């Protein structure tokens, strides 16, 4: 098990800012340690045993893969989001409604929207994933979630959309474009074979969540576990220097709450 604090409102009101969660790291598999405790020093880790994978609807704790154009995040951050699509699924958001494989996805009981309007389809959010797409968070996709063994056809028009994805799989900058030709790890190619299964994560606070719509897919190797329950909760917007106000903000009703 592992304790973690929730610093953002992206999963409200399923999980609140200032909740402290107990995470089950054995929910899907058993691995060797991923980092030196209390540091951002990553360790090469090995999956020792595996008995499951995240499913649609699961709330998942995972290592943040990095912002959209980053090969790797500069520090080790564990995020908590809801898995809304798994490897091989086709995902689309139409006027805020989420569809997976052509069917409307189940709506989490505590899902919420902070905006009372819908971004039009022709409104482009330049920071959206993948790079150079013409989508926004309310009208997104369709996009296919990569699956291990999938073959991606590469071309000069789409290579910018796949460059960071491929670089992340290698853990370094391996995609180059020279004289209109595409090279991956020094070899000229027009296709790429995916090395891992991937997941699409979204926050239940749909209009206030930086999630896979902005930074991309989560690889299976980044999955840590799933939260069990809230063991402490208070208003983390109150500074620790104002300790008595912070203590007075303790949410007794959330302590022991099962996360689902």
């Amino acid at each position: 098990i592992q304790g973690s604090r929730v610093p953002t409102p992206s999963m409200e009101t399923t999980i609140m800012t200032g909740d402290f969660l107990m995470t089950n790291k054995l929910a899907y598999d058993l691995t060797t340690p991923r980092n030196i405790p209390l540091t951002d020093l990553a360790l090469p880790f090995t999956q020792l045993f595996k008995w499951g994978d995240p499913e649609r609807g699961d709330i998942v704790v995972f290592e943040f893969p990095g912002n959209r154009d980053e090969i790797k995040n500069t520090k080790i951050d564990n995020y908590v989001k809801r898995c809304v699509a798994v490897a091989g699924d086709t995902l689309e958001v139409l006027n805020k409604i989420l569809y997976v494989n052509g069917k409307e996805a189940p709506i989490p009981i505590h899902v919420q929207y902070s905006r009372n309007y819908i971004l039009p389809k022709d409104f482009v959010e330049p920071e959206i994933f993948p790079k150079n797409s013409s989508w926004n968070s309310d009208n997104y996709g369709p996009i296919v979630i990569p699956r291990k063994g999938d073959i991606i056809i590469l071309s000069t028009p789409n290579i910018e959309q796949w460059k960071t994805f491929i670089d992340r799989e290698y853990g370094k900058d391996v995609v180059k474009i020279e004289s209109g030709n595409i090279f991956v790890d020094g070899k000229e190619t027009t296709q790429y074979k995916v090395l891992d299964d991937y997941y699409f994560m979204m926050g239940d606070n749909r209009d206030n969540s930086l999630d896979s719509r902005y930074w991309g897919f989560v690889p299976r190797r980044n999955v840590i576990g799933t939260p069990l329950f809230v063991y402490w909760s208070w208003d983390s917007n109150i500074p620790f220097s104002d300790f008595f106000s912070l203590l007075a903000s303790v949410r007794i009703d959330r302590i022991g709450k099962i996360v689902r």
Side-chain angles (χ1 to χ4, degrees), residues 161-224:
Q161 296 183 352
W162 289 107
K163 182 182 186 315
T164 303
F165 174 87
I166 297 171
D167 288 342
R168 284 179 178 177
E169 289 218 309
Y170 276 80
K172 59 183 179 179
D173 186 5
V174 296
V175 178
K176 307 290 182 184
I177 304 173
E178 299 177 4
S179 302
N181 299 317
I182 299 168
F183 294 82
V184 176
D185 201 25
K187 299 178 181 178
E188 184 178 354
T189 186
T190 57
Q191 62 182 30
Y192 178 75
K193 187 175 182 179
V194 178
L195 302 179
D196 202 353
D197 286 327
Y198 286 81
Y199 302 89
F200 201 95
M201 307 291 185
M202 290 178 66
D204 286 356
N205 191 357
R206 294 285 167 83
D207 291 339
N208 194 14
S209 174
L210 288 176
D211 49 39
S212 287
R213 292 171 292 178
Y214 292 93
W215 38 254
F217 311 116
V218 174
R220 177 62 179 85
R221 63 185 177 273
N222 281 37
V223 171
I224 294 172

Side-chain angles (χ1 to χ4, degrees), residues 54-91:
E55 298 179 357
R56 300 181 203 97
D58 285 1
I59 298 177
V60 180
V61 179
F62 57 92
E63 184 178 332
F64 177 51
N67 293 315
R68 188 190 66 182
D69 301 325
E70 291 181 329
I71 297 175
K72 189 172 180 63
N73 196 33
T74 54
K75 60 180 182 177
I76 296 175
D77 281 329
N78 291 343
Y79 275 29
V80 183
K81 306 283 183 187
R82 190 177 297 275
C83 175
V84 296
V86 301
D89 284 346
T90 299
L91 175 143

Side-chain angles (χ1 to χ4, degrees), residues 128-145:
I128 214 78
F129 170 86
K131 188 176 182 179
N132 297 331
S133 68
S134 57
W135 306 332
N136 60 60
S137 58
D138 291 348
N139 284 282
Y140 183 93
I143 192 169
V144 178
I145 316 306

Side-chain angles (χ1 to χ4, degrees), residues 7-37:
T8 71
S10 68
M11 281 295 291
E12 290 183 355
T13 56
T14 305
I15 302 172
M16 301 294 292
T17 306
D19 279 354
F20 289 74
L21 304 176
M22 195 61 70
T23 299
N24 177 14
K25 298 175 69 176
L26 296 177
Y28 305 112
D29 57 17
L30 173 66
T31 70
T32 58
R34 295 168 177 262
N35 63 286
I36 297 175

